[in-house]
Amino acid sequence: MSLIVQKFGGSSVANAERVMNVANRIVETYKAGNSVVVVVSAQGDTTDDLIEKAMEINPKGSKREMDMLLSSGEQISVALLAMAIQKLGYNAVSLTGWQAGFKTNSNYGTAKIDVIQSERVKKELDSNNIVIIAGFQGINKYDDITTLGRGGSDTSAVAIAAALRADLCEIYTDVDGVYTADPRIVPNAKKLDDISYDEMLELASLGANVLHNRSVEMAKKYGVNMVVRSSLNKNEGTVVKEVERVEKLDVRGVARDNDVARIALVNIKDEPGVAFKIFSLLAKNHVNVDIILQSIGREGKKDISFTVTESNLETAIDLLNANKDIIGFEDIKATSEVSKVSIVGAGMVNNPGVAAKMFEALADANINIHMISTSEIKVSVLVNQKNAEKAVAVIHDKFHIA
Ligand code: ASP
Ligand code: MG
């Protein structure tokens, strides 16, 4: 007998028919002799709708109240799903994050799970219940509800799978698995049979919206066997695991991230300590910086440009302007009309030609590159947002990714 954690995303439980469909799949797994723990997201666009409701009333409401509000979406779906399973004649019990023992820190809106006290879940499993847990939420040391950040139910699922030492964590979604590129942009994108934790982590962080990146981080850390598959068919899905790959050129996927903005500080003094001033200021204020580019000095001046997420753009500009004299720049230029396009693959580190091939694809398509960054397993470029989809398509084509 195995212990299986199944996570269903919002689209998989969007309406009554889909809830019944999911209930059937859960019962099938249970009838095959497995213990089943299920983690569910809020139905369809519920979370977005709740955010909208809050904005109508007070866009600056406290984060604590936001979490109280947003956690309600998952509470609806767990209860409905438990009822659906009961309708099929099986025992199910729904639990909120706190009932399931998800203890988090107090960073409302982006809370991290400290520990899962899983006694209650184990007790319910011992009583032969199918356990349905509200994803995306936990409780802090003040007994207040917290949420884990958008898309956080994946992380809830992997966390409970790790805590219970589950044999498998299945992430059910509305696509067949992890693709070599977004199939809506690249129609001949292929589903990958497997992918390594590291590659998946890069793809997730670089804008492939399949998995919450913290869920992959956690799966890697605890060695959780994970598979991403569709709730709408029986196809095999993509296995995410530790894979040793040979040293051959192996680009696994192309990702695009539109949530990027570029800031350029023009005519800064070319002297020691300037970069330190800029980036420590941003770090102190929790503004994450991604790609950084510095020009060569000329006549004692230089430019430094870097990227941040769009949500951090205003904060970053305000901070920099408030410290204009201390940093010593003449002008600040910013745009959010840029996207990051990346290729990911473990073989990249041993293949210097990979980046060149990517740039060739972009050159042939007449797409200008603003910034470049590379790591052992990825190459990212910053391009104009209007060119991003085309960039993904031509790069995917160039590498014949399969
Ligand atoms: N319902 C939350 C969201 O929409 C969490 C999740 O779906 O994973 O972000
Ligand atoms: Mg998701």
Side-chain angles (χ1 to χ4, degrees), residues 20-251:
M20 284 314 302
N21 167 58
V22 163
N24 272 303
R25 289 207 74 146
I26 295 167
V27 164
E28 254 173 56
T29 310
Y30 180 81
K31 278 201 298 197
N34 303 297
S35 290
V36 188
V37 172
V38 178
V39 173
V40 214
S41 300
Q43 292 185 287
D45 296 328
T46 303
T47 309
D48 290 325
D49 296 344
L50 290 170
I51 292 173
E52 223 169 88
K53 277 189 208 296
M55 293 305 133
E56 273 174 36
I57 289 173
N58 180 2
K60 295 205 155 95
S62 72
K63 289 186 167 177
R64 179 194 182 277
E65 300 311 327
M66 259 333 254
D67 280 5
M68 180 64 106
L69 177 70
L70 296 191
S71 64
S72 68
E74 271 69 12
Q75 199 170 330
I76 294 172
S77 42
V78 285
L80 292 175
L81 188 52
M83 291 177 201
I85 292 170
Q86 289 166 356
K87 186 173 174 184
L88 298 174
Y90 292 84
N91 294 329
V93 61
S94 65
L95 300 173
T96 61
W98 74 262
Q99 287 177 307
F102 281 66
K103 303 282 180 182
T104 74
N105 66 16
S106 292
N107 292 330
Y108 297 105
T110 53
K112 294 224 159 70
I113 300 168
D114 287 331
V115 65
I116 298 181
Q117 293 166 343
S118 52
E119 293 76 18
R120 174 73 189 272
V121 175
K122 285 182 186 143
K123 201 181 98 203
E124 299 295 349
L125 287 172
D126 287 344
S127 321
N128 290 321
N129 273 315
I130 295 170
V131 183
I132 320 281
I133 301 172
F136 172 62
Q137 56 177 267
I139 191 168
N140 66 13
K141 62 179 175 198
Y142 309 111
D143 286 351
D144 283 335
I145 295 174
T146 54
T147 66
L148 309 181
R150 296 307 304 272
S153 298
D154 296 337
T155 300
S156 307
V158 174
I160 192 73
L164 298 172
R165 299 186 207 295
D167 298 285
L168 180 63
C169 180
E170 296 181 309
I171 307 285
Y172 284 92
T173 177
D174 54 0
V175 291
D176 278 358
V178 182
Y179 279 74
T180 53
D182 185 339
R184 284 165 303 188
I185 304 177
V186 183
N188 61 345
K190 296 200 179 62
K191 194 208 78 191
L192 295 162
D193 292 334
D194 59 52
I195 188 163
S196 72
Y197 292 124
D198 287 331
E199 290 166 333
M200 190 62 237
L201 194 54
E202 288 291 349
L203 280 178
S205 329
L206 293 170
N209 290 323
V210 235
L211 285 174
H212 195 226
N213 60 352
R214 264 162 55 206
S215 72
V216 188
E217 234 166 56
M218 195 175 296
K220 179 180 159 74
K221 185 165 166 197
Y222 296 102
V224 174
N225 290 317
M226 205 176 178
V227 56
V228 181
R229 56 191 305 187
S230 171
S231 62
L232 306 171
N233 63 46
K234 294 280 166 76
N235 298 347
E236 284 292 335
T238 303
V239 176
V240 188
K241 59 180 187 189
E242 206 64 74
V243 229
E244 289 300 324
R245 214 170 282 286
V246 280
E247 294 191 357
K248 74 176 190 11
L249 171 74
D250 206 0
V251 176

